[in-house]
Amino acid sequence: MNDDSVTLDSADAPVMGIDETIIKIDDLSFSYDLGKTNTLRNISLDIPAGKVTAFIGPSGCGKSTLLRCLNRMNDLVDTAKVTTGKISILDQDINAPDVEAIELRKHVGMVFQKYNPFPKSIYENVAYGLRVQGIKNKGVLDEAVEESLKKSALWSEVKDRLDSSALGLSGGQQQRLCIARTIAVKPQIVLMDEPCSALDPIATARIEELIAELRQEFTIVIVTHNMQQATRVSDRTAFFYLGELIEYADTAKIFGNPSKKQTEDYVSGRFG
Amino acid sequence: MLEESKNPFVASSNRQKIIDRVWSVIFAGFTYFVLACALFIFGKITYDGAPVLFQAEAPFINFDFLFTSPQTLVEFRDGAGELVRMDASDFRSFKEENPDAVIRDEHTFSYSGGGILGPLVGTALLVIVCMIVSLFIGVSAAVYLNEYAHHGKLVGAIRLAIMNLAGVPSIVYGLFGFAFFCLAPWFPVLTYEVNPETSVFAFKVPMSKGFLSFEGWGNSLIAGGLTLAVMALPVIIAACEESLKAVPKGFREASLALGATKWQMIRTAVLPYATPGMLTASVLGVTRVAGETAPIMFTAAVADKAKLPWQEAEGSPLFWFSDLLTQSVQALPYHIYTVSARIPDADAVRDMRYGSVFVFLLLVMGFAMISIVMRARFRSKLKW
């Protein structure tokens, strides 16, 4: 598995012009019950900077859990624990004792499955991350809000009603607002946990377009149930099954010519 | 068979039908019995109490009843044998003005004349103290339990303790408050005259004529308010926890994922959406304990007090405030207890009894109503 990823990475490098691993996961095992049972087992993979990496697999395979390890959202669970291995982001072990999860999350943003804007105005939603960092300057905030909304392809739809409640937007708009809110903090990495699963096909298509835009600027890791979506948006795909990484390669290879039988069965729809 | 009865759906047994009917009547009967009891209580109190508060001519409300304090009622027969009732103060001036008036069969009834201003004010002050203290402690405890505490045995034990607190009889709270807040000398007061019997330690406050004396609070507004607060806490903590749990987990996650600290998250993404629920639930909780007599019997309430608490308090602002908090107060539930249980039964006392109970009922129902309406409002406004 590791060999596979190494060769493919170097093969990709000239095309993309970037050959930098931004997230390095090394032999990671993770448990939700203080190590009694491992939800993730011995996972190693390197996520390249400036690309879209998709995590696919049947429900309960651990793909969301792994995603939530990357910005330490699992800290919210009292009994969660990394049992072996480590995750390095920008060459720093993120579970090291001197790493503050709050600082990590400013670099590693997250968009959730169920769009969850705060019941505040559109403006305040986007400005939230900057406000908690202590930015009060109205000019700075205005600029950041406009820039983020433009990048999330929402500006033209909401620019005249920035002060109205975010809950008045449609589901797809709310999810794009959540993306705007995330990128306003200027993270290097954006994690997306099934961002389209609560949306209709048209709203989904717009989010996918947006992902294609955002990949210029951010490294994106996306968890998806939808295999077509993975083929449409991602450069690299990792297939998980029962807490293990089965195969990790270029998206075209995973869907066209997978090297593992399980991967082939899954992507061809025989299970999962 | 089919030929005998053409209708295939006819009842097979009459007996089953009757048993079914009997049970439904029994269940309905008990249900309506409860309704009848409630209606009887409200009806009786309204029938006898409303005439005391309301009157036929403008302004339709008997403000004398609301805005004078209780005093002794005098009942006598005049020269013509007519039964006359008047407040003690009126009776004195009546005698001065008519020294020759015939007064026979004179009876006095304590606290049964005048109005209920003193008890109303006392209850209001007790509720304010109780509300401030119980909200502050209750919200803090709920935030800690729901947001910070790790789910372990200790937190389970704390929850259990809080639930058990809700089952403690009110008289026990009263006695606890009496021992803890009134008698124990660890609570200080600012006073101009140190009580030599109870004070264990006192020192002069610089730049004033008074002392800070550790002598306990005695029978006082603050002791009663705190006792009520302790009693309201279990309900308020539970209600606040419910309100916090109702805030979607997504808000917390989104906030943390944007780099907020835990306290920033609680302050900006949890409390604003939980506050309406916490407030309304707390109003309900406080309303419930405001009607209790036992907790304030030993800790705060007196039957008779000449002036209102703030009229009796004195000194410079700080000392005045300390004096106000350590004043004993009249209170509506205790007043009702006094005129009902400690005054001989007589027609003359009737108006005061029913009038007080009626006003009290209106107050409590009004508060409950306000909090219910508030909650409904907030719920429809904050939908996610």
Side-chain angles (χ1 to χ4, degrees):
Chain A
M1 244 176 281
N2 272 339
D3 293 354
D4 204 21
S5 72
V6 167
T7 49
L8 283 163
D9 254 0
S10 42
D12 250 10
V15 187
M16 300 299 294
I18 302 164
D19 184 24
E20 198 188 324
T21 296
I22 190 162
I23 303 174
K24 188 170 173 60
I25 301 169
D26 188 18
D27 192 37
L28 181 80
S29 297
F30 174 85
S31 164
Y32 275 126
D33 50 12
L34 293 174
K36 270 177 239 152
T37 52
N38 279 336
T39 309
L40 297 175
R41 278 188 300 278
N42 306 96
I43 288 175
S44 296
L45 84 166
D46 295 347
I47 293 171
K51 291 192 186 174
V52 179
T53 303
F55 290 176
I56 62 167
S59 297
C61 68
K63 55 196 190 304
S64 286
T65 300
L66 180 60
L67 195 75
R68 295 168 74 91
C69 283
L70 300 181
N71 67 344
R72 283 183 50 185
M73 277 316 261
N74 287 324
D75 286 11
L76 298 185
V77 182
D78 285 342
T79 53
K81 189 183 165 202
V82 172
T83 41
T84 65
K86 68 171 190 176
I87 302 171
S88 300
I89 293 179
L90 297 165
D91 291 329
Q92 167 63 47
D93 176 3
I94 62 165
N95 290 303
D98 60 340
V99 167
E100 184 68 63
I102 291 146
E103 294 305 317
L104 170 70
R105 291 178 195 140
K106 289 177 188 168
H107 294 273
V108 187
M110 187 165 207
V111 176
F112 296 86
Q113 181 172 2
K114 178 82 181 79
Y115 43 85
N116 55 359
F118 302 114
K120 301 174 192 271
S121 70
I122 292 167
Y123 182 96
E124 284 305 323
N125 262 285
V126 184
Y128 185 91
L130 298 170
R131 282 203 196 277
V132 297
Q133 290 183 24
I135 295 170
K136 293 196 179 87
N137 185 320
K138 185 88 171 75
V140 176
L141 289 175
D142 283 350
E143 207 171 296
V145 167
E146 181 172 344
E147 191 192 333
S148 310
L149 285 171
K150 276 180 176 159
K151 277 186 196 158
S152 338
L154 199 58
W155 177 249
S156 58
E157 293 161 54
V158 301
K159 65 172 187 286
D160 301 321
R161 48 171 174 149
L162 290 176
D163 291 326
S164 54
S165 168
L167 301 186
L169 299 172
S170 72
Q173 286 173 323
Q174 289 194 23
Q175 188 62 298
R176 274 181 281 147
L177 180 66
C178 290
I179 293 174
R181 178 173 75 178
T182 304
I183 61 180
V185 188
K186 299 206 189 312
Q188 278 117 314
I189 300 164
V190 177
L191 310 175
M192 297 188 175
D193 189 358
E194 299 185 38
C196 303
S197 65
L199 301 178
D200 64 59
I202 294 170
T204 299
R206 300 207 59 172
I207 301 274
E208 287 178 7
E209 280 166 33
L210 180 56
I211 291 170
E213 294 280 320
L214 292 175
R215 58 185 292 184
Q216 321 264 342
E217 208 176 324
F218 306 95
T219 301
I220 294 173
V221 183
I222 180 171
V223 164
T224 179
H225 255 309
N226 180 330
M227 284 181 272
Q228 284 74 36
Q229 182 168 65
T231 59
R232 286 191 298 262
V233 302
S234 71
D235 304 298
R236 305 270 297 166
T237 296
F239 170 60
F240 295 87
Y241 184 59
L242 297 178
E244 283 174 37
L245 177 65
I246 305 298
E247 191 167 356
Y248 176 48
D250 275 1
T251 300
K253 182 167 187 310
I254 290 277
F255 288 96
N257 181 25
S259 42
K260 295 274 169 61
K261 177 81 168 54
Q262 276 167 309
T263 315
E264 192 185 343
D265 287 350
Y266 182 71
V267 299
S268 60
R270 241 166 282 170
F271 81 97
Chain B
M1 281 293 278
L2 271 173
E3 309 246 326
E4 275 174 42
S5 85
K6 293 216 171 93
N7 182 354
F9 308 122
V10 80
S12 54
S13 144
N14 236 2
R15 202 171 146 265
Q16 274 184 346
K17 220 170 145 186
I18 290 166
I19 291 173
D20 202 49
R21 187 91 200 118
V22 166
W23 278 111
S24 83
V25 166
I26 288 172
F27 291 141
F30 282 118
T31 310
Y32 287 109
F33 175 71
V34 174
L35 183 70
C37 288
L39 281 182
F40 178 75
I41 292 170
F42 291 133
K44 172 80 176 150
I45 290 169
T46 308
Y47 181 77
D48 288 320
V52 181
L53 182 62
F54 301 113
Q55 57 196 29
E57 64 265 31
F60 304 110
I61 293 174
N62 181 3
F63 285 111
D64 281 350
F65 186 66
L66 291 178
F67 292 115
T68 57
S69 276
Q71 53 174 301
T72 302
L73 184 74
V74 182
E75 185 189 62
F76 61 91
R77 285 186 190 280
D78 64 8
E82 289 283 311
L83 192 66
V84 181
R85 282 177 195 149
M86 52 174 71
D87 295 344
S89 55
D90 295 339
F91 183 62
R92 271 193 298 277
S93 44
F94 171 78
K95 275 208 291 194
E96 274 165 30
E97 283 161 26
N98 311 292
D100 308 327
V102 182
I103 294 165
R104 288 183 290 134
D105 296 343
E106 185 185 327
H107 293 284
T108 58
F109 301 95
S110 307
Y111 321 122
S112 304
I116 52 168
L117 179 65
L120 270 180
V121 164
T123 290
L125 290 175
L126 283 170
V127 165
I128 290 170
V129 172
C130 166
M131 188 88 185
I132 293 171
V133 174
S134 59
L135 252 187
F136 191 76
I137 299 178
V139 169
S140 309
V143 166
Y144 174 73
L145 285 176
N146 204 48
E147 308 290 333
Y148 283 100
H150 296 270
H151 300 278
K153 279 190 185 135
L154 183 63
V155 171
I158 293 174
R159 282 228 169 79
L160 197 67
I162 291 171
M163 278 195 318
N164 281 331
L165 219 51
V168 173
S170 57
I171 187 75
V172 177
Y173 280 104
L175 290 170
F176 162 75
F178 182 56
F180 192 79
F181 297 120
C182 300
L183 295 184
W186 45 59
F187 293 110
V189 293
L190 287 168
T191 178
Y192 293 110
E193 267 173 73
V194 174
N195 182 339
E197 277 170 31
T198 54
S199 181
V200 290
F201 179 67
F203 60 85
K204 191 139 175 46
V205 178
M207 291 183 293
S208 80
K209 281 175 278 174
F211 300 88
L212 184 76
S213 168
F214 288 82
E215 56 181 55
W217 282 333
N219 208 20
S220 62
L221 172 58
I222 178 115
L226 287 182
T227 308
L228 288 178
V230 173
M231 201 177 161
L233 270 179
V235 179
I236 290 183
I237 292 175
C240 289
E241 272 207 87
E242 281 312 306
S243 306
L244 289 171
K245 286 204 178 92
V247 176
K249 200 167 145 233
F251 291 2
R252 294 180 176 84
E253 290 186 333
S255 175
L256 290 177
L258 289 167
T261 62
K262 197 140 192 178
W263 168 235
Q264 282 176 324
M265 169 201 87
I266 292 171
R267 190 167 52 82
T268 59
V270 177
L271 283 184
Y273 312 119
T275 304
M278 296 200 291
L279 273 183
T280 50
S282 303
V283 169
L284 267 183
V286 171
T287 308
R288 211 179 57 81
V289 299
E292 290 283 350
T293 316
I296 54 171
M297 230 157 110
F298 309 114
T299 56
V302 285
D304 192 23
K305 196 169 174 75
K307 292 193 232 166
L308 296 176
W310 56 77
Q311 293 169 333
E312 220 149 290
E314 51 195 18
S316 64
L318 215 57
F319 282 76
W320 178 86
F321 191 63
S322 168
D323 200 9
L324 175 70
L325 286 178
T326 48
Q327 292 281 328
S328 58
V329 290
Q330 290 176 293
L332 209 40
Y334 189 66
H335 177 67
I336 291 169
Y337 163 71
T338 307
V339 293
S340 308
R342 290 169 59 188
I343 307 282
D345 195 22
D347 272 357
V349 196
R350 218 180 141 80
D351 273 3
M352 178 51 96
R353 284 179 187 164
Y354 277 106
S356 307
V357 170
F358 181 63
V359 171
F360 194 35
L361 197 69
L362 282 188
L363 266 185
V364 172
M365 276 165 60
F367 268 113
M369 207 72 120
I370 289 170
S371 67
I372 289 167
V373 169
M374 261 164 64
R375 190 165 52 187
R377 273 262 182 89
F378 285 128
R379 267 197 193 146
S380 61
K381 215 186 262 176
L382 285 178
K383 257 187 195 149
W384 39 74

